[in-house]
């Protein structure tokens, strides 16, 4: 996605993976608005819209992703048209060569060899190349011909890959179009919501009978207990009985499939993880919590879109976080959000829209986006692009904005790098990312506690936190395996029930492989520092956060009510949402999977703020 939104921006400074950009824009020209329709819809809002509320619609970033996919497919279609034209030209050239006299064969072949040096053949024209091989009479010339075409294929591929970077103005227009789609939270939403509710309610009513019938048929045709086989195989692996483990793996693979039901898919991926643990052949992507570089951005966006459509986790957590931040900043003149794990910034457009319509005008907003460094020469490329995108959002909303970025390991960040100003209302935001920070089982000086201590040293007015509720973090392999088997069984059952359309099965496979299987592979096949997924239960997180110097902040009843309404209206009836001791809990069929909470410092520093 960042590759599609490349925009040249000057004035960045890089210091140890950190920097700043997007300084506040004080003199905004309303006449240069690129989106008159959107502003007209804002101006036509009734006085009853004040004070504004955080958008309850869960589709702004879905519309953004959908528009990105459409433009990407158009770009791919244009590339295919170019390849087809080049293939036609190549075939016409070969016909002319075939019409030459046999007596001039040697001359024509030499002319062909000299002319091919300036003729670019696309890599997709394999059929044309196979046909043209008949024109070459001897083996030596045939080898030369193919060698030159391989070089020309590489040149053509490189030139085609560079095309998006050349047309910078077109990419800027495309980026602006993406942002416009992302920011329209309420335009033409009623029809889309009705269609979405109708589409979602249909599998809700029919999903449970279908799921039960499918499971009953599976039990009749296949009486093998795959979970029991997986446990037996894991026990053999733990006792270093490689022969028995290999036999069990063969039996599991004969009854599992990546395209079967939830239990079969779970067994298939867990068998791969157990085999990786036995052989020690762990692919590099498994050691990274981010999607693999071999997966195209289009596929990642489709998988993410499917996840948001079928699961309310991100929707409700983002809503609760933004609503809590908005309520805190109702009277603030300066707002500073320190976002640990900003990624693509999907959380913030609805909050920016609400702040722009705040009574008395929006506050001066400063966002510090923090991410783990990327591999390669530009470790902060993703977070920089997110900052540029948020800057353009704020310009359209007339929100004064400044963005700073840091791309490094979180436990190595110092308080001075964050540039905390006591005059600002400060918020620390960390959604679904702290589980990837190592704990005391990796180092005696727990990096996880170090990061929480940094949160406390920031002395925020509000700490917004959400994380997975997982118990598969034991240092003992069998205990960890059983808990992971139980946890991921619920997730695979969730996607098996909510995704009924056959055309979504491909995206479901990608979704499970990139969002679920990576964590499962890390938990099962890796040990020590190589295991990056280290979740804890929300009760364990509570102990850590309390120990770091925070106290719980009550989630308002209105937020809980609206979050439950989102889940009830738009998602499957087996999704549950409840509260427990100032935590908002989300789960599937009674099992708690994710937890959300808000915190405040137990005692505010008297030199900066008034004591609570």
């Amino acid at each position: 996605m960042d590759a599609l939104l490349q925009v040249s921006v000057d004035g960045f400074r890089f210091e140890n993976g950190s920097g700043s950009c997007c300084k506040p824009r004080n003199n905004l020209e309303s006449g240069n608005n690129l989106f008159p329709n959107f502003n007209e819809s804002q101006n036509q809002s009734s006085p009853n819209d004040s004070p504004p509320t955080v958008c309850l619609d869960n589709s702004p970033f879905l519309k953004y992703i959908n528009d990105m996919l459409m433009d990407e497919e158009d770009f791919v279609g244009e590339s295919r048209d170019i390849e087809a034209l080049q293939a036609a030209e190549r075939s016409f050239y070969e016909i002319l060569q075939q019409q030459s006299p046999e007596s001039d064969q040697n001359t024509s072949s030499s002319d062909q060899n000299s002319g091919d040096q300036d003729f670019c053949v696309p890599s997709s024209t394999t059929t044309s190349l196979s046909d043209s091989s008949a024109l070459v009479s001897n083996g030596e010339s045939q080898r030369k011909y193919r060698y030159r075409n391989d070089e020309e294929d590489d040149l053509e591929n490189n030139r085609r890959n560079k095309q998006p970077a050349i047309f910078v103005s077109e990419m800027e227009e495309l980026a602006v179009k993406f942002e416009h789609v992302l920011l329209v939270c309420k335009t033409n939403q009623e029809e889309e919501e009705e269609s979405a509710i109708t589409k979602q309610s249909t599998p809700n009513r029919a999903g449970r009978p279908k799921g039960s019938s499918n499971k009953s048929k599976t039990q009749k045709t296949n009486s093998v207990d795959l979970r029991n086989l997986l446990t037996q195989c894991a026990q053999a692996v733990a006792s270093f009985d490689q022969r028995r483990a290999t036999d069990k793996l063969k039996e599991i693979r004969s009854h599992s499939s990546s395209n079967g039901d939830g239990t079969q898919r779970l067994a298939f991926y867990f068998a791969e993880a157990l085999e990786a643990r036995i052989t020690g052949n762990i692919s590099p992507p498994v050691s990274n919590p981010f999607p693999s570089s071999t997966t195209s951005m289009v596929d990642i966006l489709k998988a993410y879109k499917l996840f948001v459509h079928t699961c309310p986790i991100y929707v409700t957590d983002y809503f609760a976080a933004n609503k809590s931040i908005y309520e805190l900043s109702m009277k603030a003149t300066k707002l500073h959000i320190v976002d640990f794990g900003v990624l693509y910034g999907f959380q913030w457009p609805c909050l920016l829209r609400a702040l722009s319509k705040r009574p008395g005008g929006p506050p001066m907003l400063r966002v510090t986006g923090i991410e783990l460094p990327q591999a390669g020469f530009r470790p902060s490329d993703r977070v920089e692009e997110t900052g540029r995108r948020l800057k353009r959002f704020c310009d359209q909303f007339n929100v004064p904005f400044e963005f700073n970025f840091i791309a490094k390991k979180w436990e190595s960040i110092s308080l001075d790098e964050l540039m905390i100003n006591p005059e600002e209302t400060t918020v620390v935001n960390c959604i679904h990312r702290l589980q990837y920070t190592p704990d005391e089982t990796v180092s005696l000086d727990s990096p996880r506690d170090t990061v929480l201590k940094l949160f406390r040293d920031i002395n925020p007015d509000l700490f917004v936190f959400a994380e997975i509720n997982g118990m598969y973090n034991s240092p003992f392999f069998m205990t960890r395996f059983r808990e992971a088997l139980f946890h991921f069984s619920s997730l695979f059952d969730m996607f098996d029930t909510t995704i009924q359309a056959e055309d979504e099965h491909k995206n479901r496979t990608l979704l499970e492989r990139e969002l679920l299987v990576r964590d499962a592979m890390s938990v099962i096949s890796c040990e020590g520092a190589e295991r990056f997924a280290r979740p804890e239960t929300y009760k364990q997180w509570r102990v850590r956060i309390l120990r770091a110097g925070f106290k719980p902040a009550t989630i308002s009843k209105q937020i809980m009510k609206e979050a439950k309404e989102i889940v009830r209206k738009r998602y499957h009836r087996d999704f549950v949402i409840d509260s427990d001791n100032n935590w908002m809990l989300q789960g599937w069929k009674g099992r708690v999977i994710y937890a959300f909470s808000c915190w405040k410092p137990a005692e505010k520093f008297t030199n900066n703020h008034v004591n609570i």
Side-chain angles (χ1 to χ4, degrees), residues 396-407:
Q396 299 307 316
F397 285 137
N398 293 337
V399 176
F401 180 76
E402 178 182 349
F403 185 82
N404 303 310
F405 63 90
I406 299 176

Side-chain angles (χ1 to χ4, degrees), residues 177-191:
K177 183 179 180 181
F178 293 161
E179 294 152 11
H180 178 44
V181 175
L182 174 60
L183 293 176
V184 180
C185 294
K186 292 187 177 181
T187 304
N188 298 328
Q189 290 298 319
E190 295 181 358
E191 296 181 0

Side-chain angles (χ1 to χ4, degrees), residues 430-600:
C430 186
I431 305 293
H432 304 160
R433 293 293 300 278
L434 198 55
Q435 69 152 325
Y436 299 118
T437 303
D439 56 12
E440 56 274 359
T441 60
V442 177
S443 175
L444 293 178
D445 298 329
S446 173
R448 185 168 296 182
D449 290 339
T450 301
V451 174
L452 287 173
K453 183 178 182 300
L454 175 64
F455 293 171
R456 179 62 184 86
D457 292 340
I458 294 174
N459 199 32
D461 296 277
L462 184 66
F463 169 36
V464 179
F465 177 76
E467 197 50 86
I468 193 171
N469 180 64
M471 294 182 287
Y472 48 95
N473 191 32
S474 171
F476 306 103
F477 171 70
M478 279 307 302
T479 303
R480 190 168 70 241
F481 181 86
R482 290 191 181 95
E483 293 295 341
L485 181 62
F486 188 38
H487 177 86
F488 286 99
S489 295
S490 298
L491 296 179
F492 275 88
D493 177 69
M494 177 181 70
F495 290 124
D496 197 37
T497 305
T498 57
I499 301 176
Q500 297 287 336
E502 294 183 359
D503 57 347
E504 296 292 354
H505 286 177
K506 179 181 177 181
N507 294 333
R508 181 187 66 187
T509 301
L510 182 66
L511 168 65
E512 292 174 345
R513 187 175 72 246
E514 295 294 347
L515 297 183
L516 302 183
V517 178
R518 299 175 64 81
D519 287 359
M521 290 284 289
S522 173
V523 168
I524 298 171
S525 61
C526 301
E527 291 290 348
E530 294 181 351
R531 178 165 60 90
F532 62 81
R534 299 175 179 274
E536 294 180 321
T537 65
Y538 73 94
K539 295 182 179 179
Q540 290 174 316
W541 285 116
R542 172 183 171 85
V543 173
R544 283 188 183 273
I545 298 174
L546 288 173
R547 190 170 56 199
F550 288 94
K551 67 178 182 179
T554 304
I555 302 175
S556 67
K557 295 182 179 180
Q558 184 64 23
I559 293 178
M560 286 295 305
K561 179 181 178 181
E562 293 176 348
K564 290 181 179 180
E565 195 69 10
I566 291 174
V567 175
R568 185 184 67 83
K569 285 185 175 181
R570 301 172 185 173
Y571 293 95
H572 196 277
R573 56 190 174 188
D574 284 332
F575 283 109
V576 294
I577 182 170
D578 204 349
S579 60
D580 177 36
N581 202 9
N582 296 315
W583 287 81
M584 183 179 73
L585 307 178
Q586 299 185 70
W588 172 256
K589 293 183 179 179
R591 179 177 177 84
V592 177
I593 299 178
Y594 285 87
F596 172 89
S597 61
C598 294
W599 303 81
K600 291 185 177 181

Side-chain angles (χ1 to χ4, degrees), residues 226 229-230 233-234 237 245-246 248-254 256-259 263-283 285-286 477 481 485 492 509 512-514 516-526:
L226 289 173
L229 284 177
L230 287 170
C233 183
V237 172
T246 303
K248 291 297 180 182
L249 279 177
K250 291 181 180 179
E251 188 176 359
I252 293 171
R253 290 189 182 280
S254 64
S256 63
S257 170
S258 60
N259 298 320
T263 303
Q264 292 173 341
R265 298 196 308 274
L266 174 71
F268 176 84
Y269 292 119
F270 269 52
E272 285 191 342
L274 289 170
E275 183 179 7
R277 185 180 181 90
I278 295 174
T279 61
N281 297 327
I282 302 174
S283 57
V286 177
F477 171 70
F481 181 86
L485 181 62
F492 275 88
T509 301
E512 292 174 345
R513 187 175 72 246
E514 295 294 347
L516 302 183
V517 178
R518 299 175 64 81
D519 287 359
M521 290 284 289
S522 173
V523 168
I524 298 171
S525 61
C526 301

Side-chain angles (χ1 to χ4, degrees), residues 86-284:
Q86 291 174 337
E89 292 176 352
R90 182 66 188 174
S91 300
F92 181 70
Y93 177 77
E94 294 168 357
I95 293 174
L96 293 178
Q97 293 296 323
Q98 291 176 353
Q99 294 177 355
S100 62
E102 295 182 358
S103 60
D104 297 335
Q105 183 176 0
N106 296 332
T107 305
S108 63
S109 62
S110 61
D111 294 338
Q112 179 183 356
N113 292 336
S114 61
D116 286 345
Q117 295 178 358
D118 297 329
F119 193 90
C120 295
V121 181
S123 59
S124 62
T125 58
T126 55
T127 57
S128 300
L129 294 179
S130 62
D131 296 337
S132 63
S133 62
L135 300 176
V136 186
S137 59
N138 54 61
E140 181 179 0
S141 61
Q142 182 177 357
R143 287 192 296 271
K144 291 181 179 179
Y145 182 79
R146 290 181 177 176
Y147 177 75
R148 282 192 298 273
N149 282 333
D150 290 340
E151 289 184 344
E152 290 161 359
D153 289 347
D154 295 337
L155 292 175
E156 182 65 22
N157 287 333
N158 291 336
R159 187 168 66 180
R160 194 178 299 131
N161 291 336
K162 292 180 180 179
Q163 185 175 359
I166 295 175
F167 302 98
V168 177
S169 60
E170 295 181 3
M171 300 309 297
E172 290 179 353
E173 295 177 359
L174 188 61
V176 171
K177 183 179 180 181
F178 293 161
E179 294 152 11
H180 178 44
V181 175
L182 174 60
L183 293 176
V184 180
C185 294
K186 292 187 177 181
T187 304
N188 298 328
Q189 290 298 319
E190 295 181 358
E191 296 181 0
E192 293 184 7
E193 288 181 0
E194 291 178 358
S195 61
I197 293 173
T198 303
K199 185 177 180 180
Q200 185 65 30
S201 61
T202 301
N204 287 355
R205 298 188 183 97
R208 185 173 293 180
K210 286 184 179 180
S212 59
S213 61
N214 290 337
K215 292 180 180 178
S216 61
K217 291 179 181 179
T218 303
Q219 292 174 358
K220 292 180 180 180
T221 58
N222 184 11
S223 59
V224 176
D225 189 351
L226 289 173
R227 292 187 179 90
N228 187 29
L229 284 177
L230 287 170
T231 304
Q232 293 177 13
C233 183
Q235 290 173 346
V237 172
S239 60
F240 302 99
D241 189 351
Q242 186 170 356
R243 180 177 179 179
R244 183 168 180 264
T246 303
D247 293 339
K248 291 297 180 182
L249 279 177
K250 291 181 180 179
E251 188 176 359
I252 293 171
R253 290 189 182 280
S254 64
H255 295 91
S256 63
S257 170
S258 60
N259 298 320
D261 58 22
T263 303
Q264 292 173 341
R265 298 196 308 274
L266 174 71
F268 176 84
Y269 292 119
F270 269 52
E272 285 191 342
L274 289 170
E275 183 179 7
R277 185 180 181 90
I278 295 174
T279 61
N281 297 327
I282 302 174
S283 57

